[in-house]
Amino acid sequence: MAKDDMKTKPEIVFADVTDERTVELSWKEVKDATGYNIERYDREKDKYVKIGSVDAGVTSFTCAKEVRDGVYLYRINALKAIEGKLRPLSKKGSARAVNISSVPAVNITKIESPSFGKVCITWENDENATGYVINRRLEEMNEAVRRGETKAGELSFIDNTAASGQVYYYNVQSFTPDKIATPGVPDNRIYSNTGKEECFVCVDSTEILRVKRSLFKKVSFEYRLTSGVSCYILYKSNAKDGEYKEVARTKDGTTLFLSDKGKSGEKSAYYKIGCCKTVNGKEWFGKKTESVLINYKL
């Protein structure tokens, strides 16, 4: 068998647990494979055992209902028909750990941004937990990755890697020690179920670069473009520390100018500009600029 074939491992790219405690697996197709065996690590036998198989072209599998709480390990073995028998086509893929739990999910109670680039997540307490893990998923990704961990009683976490305009989805899981060790799983923990994902968008502020005044009390603002926003909004107030109301907004996040016109009898006004990102109908706003005083009389 060619050495190049043996280098191609069928890696599991997606694993999810349904409400019925079954595991859905999927992997990338391996060239020349005529079938796949799905294997799961058996703790009692201390080895991987076959739990199912699929034909060529099928790259997903639904595992049978799992009984105990804990971490299960799955891997895929690609096969090829040689002289009438199925033989391994490649090295077996790396084991993929999947958590199965009857422990109730931990709910996030608040998400806020203490300053740009930082997201603070707060959640409810699980009295039986020895710690928590914080998971984050990007909008374009199927699965979440671990962003951090806290100890029992520590019910908040700050993610300081948020980028402007990026859509993030967070969830939190509690965990307790798993008394039975699983090879390849260094932490040996039983995690709670994954709770509802909570969305957050960190929106940077912009900066007013130039102000242009023209006839008939018209004023235009040029500002710095901000990454990932849906639009820019012009706010106006008759006092520096007064209430600022929206008077104009752009149709997209690439327009460089916003304009307004003073009303009859109006001598001056204060303006600010802010950024906005719309996700699933909800608007997320960045910090407004400092106010700019405009005297309409040239």
Side-chain angles (χ1 to χ4, degrees), residues 41-52:
Y41 179 76
D42 189 311
R43 291 187 178 191
E44 295 181 357
K45 297 179 180 179
D46 192 24
K47 65 178 183 180
Y48 281 87
V49 298
K50 176 183 173 182
I51 61 171

Side-chain angles (χ1 to χ4, degrees), residues 164 203-211 220-227 229 231-234 255-258 271-276 286-292:
S164 179
V203 183
D204 196 2
S205 59
T206 184
E207 178 185 3
I208 296 175
L209 301 177
R210 296 178 187 83
V211 179
S220 297
F221 299 87
E222 181 183 356
Y223 43 85
R224 174 179 55 82
L225 291 179
T226 297
S227 175
V229 302
C231 69
Y232 298 87
I233 303 174
L234 183 63
T255 305
L256 286 171
F257 297 93
L258 276 166
Y271 288 91
K272 292 183 178 183
I273 294 179
C275 306
C276 175
K287 184 179 179 180
K288 297 182 182 68
T289 62
E290 294 294 325
S291 61
V292 174

Side-chain angles (χ1 to χ4, degrees), residues 93-105:
S94 302
R96 180 67 178 263
V98 179
N99 176 71
I100 295 180
S101 179
S102 59
V103 181

Side-chain angles (χ1 to χ4, degrees), residues 66-292:
E66 307 293 11
V67 179
R68 66 169 179 83
D69 282 1
V71 177
Y72 288 77
L73 294 177
Y74 300 90
R75 70 183 185 186
I76 308 299
N77 184 14
L79 306 172
K80 184 175 182 179
I82 301 175
E83 297 179 353
K85 294 184 179 180
L86 289 175
R87 306 290 187 185
L89 172 63
S90 66
K91 292 183 179 180
K92 295 178 181 179
S94 302
R96 180 67 178 263
V98 179
N99 176 71
I100 295 180
S101 179
S102 59
V103 181
V106 176
N107 295 317
I108 293 175
T109 56
K110 182 189 294 185
I111 296 185
E112 57 186 347
S113 180
S115 61
F116 176 70
K118 295 184 178 181
V119 182
C120 182
I121 303 100
T122 305
W123 56 88
E124 61 188 13
N125 186 37
D126 179 351
E127 295 180 355
N128 299 315
T130 55
Y132 303 88
V133 293
I134 298 87
N135 306 306
R136 185 183 78 181
R137 180 177 66 85
L138 302 183
E139 184 179 29
E140 61 272 15
M141 296 176 64
N142 289 326
E143 296 182 270
V145 297
R146 185 176 300 186
R147 283 296 307 141
E149 182 175 317
T150 67
K151 299 178 181 179
E154 296 178 359
L155 306 179
S156 66
F157 174 81
I158 293 181
D159 180 6
N160 58 8
T161 62
S164 179
Q166 176 66 58
V167 182
Y168 298 102
Y169 293 91
Y170 292 90
N171 69 69
V172 177
Q173 290 177 284
S174 63
F175 63 82
T176 55
D178 189 348
K179 297 179 181 179
I180 304 176
T182 301
V185 183
D187 52 18
N188 289 318
R189 296 167 174 173
I190 295 178
Y191 292 92
S192 69
N193 284 313
T194 301
K196 177 185 176 183
E197 288 185 320
E198 297 292 343
C199 177
F200 188 85
V201 182
C202 192
V203 183
D204 196 2
S205 59
T206 184
E207 178 185 3
I208 296 175
L209 301 177
R210 296 178 187 83
V211 179
K212 181 180 179 181
R213 290 178 292 178
S214 58
L215 297 175
F216 307 110
K217 296 186 177 182
K218 185 177 180 180
V219 58
S220 297
F221 299 87
E222 181 183 356
Y223 43 85
R224 174 179 55 82
L225 291 179
T226 297
S227 175
V229 302
S230 302
C231 69
Y232 298 87
I233 303 174
L234 183 63
Y235 299 91
K236 181 179 180 180
S237 175
N238 57 10
K240 183 176 181 180
D241 298 322
E243 180 183 0
Y244 284 80
K245 295 183 179 181
E246 178 180 333
V247 292
R249 71 164 59 195
T250 63
K251 294 182 179 180
D252 53 44
T254 61
T255 305
L256 286 171
F257 297 93
L258 276 166
S259 300
D260 187 42
K261 190 175 181 181
K263 297 179 181 179
S264 177
E266 198 173 24
K267 297 181 178 180
S268 64
Y270 291 86
Y271 288 91
K272 292 183 178 183
I273 294 179
C275 306
C276 175
K277 172 81 171 183
T278 303
V279 179
N280 297 328
K282 181 178 179 180
E283 294 182 326
W284 298 84
F285 298 93
K287 184 179 179 180
K288 297 182 182 68
T289 62
E290 294 294 325
S291 61
V292 174

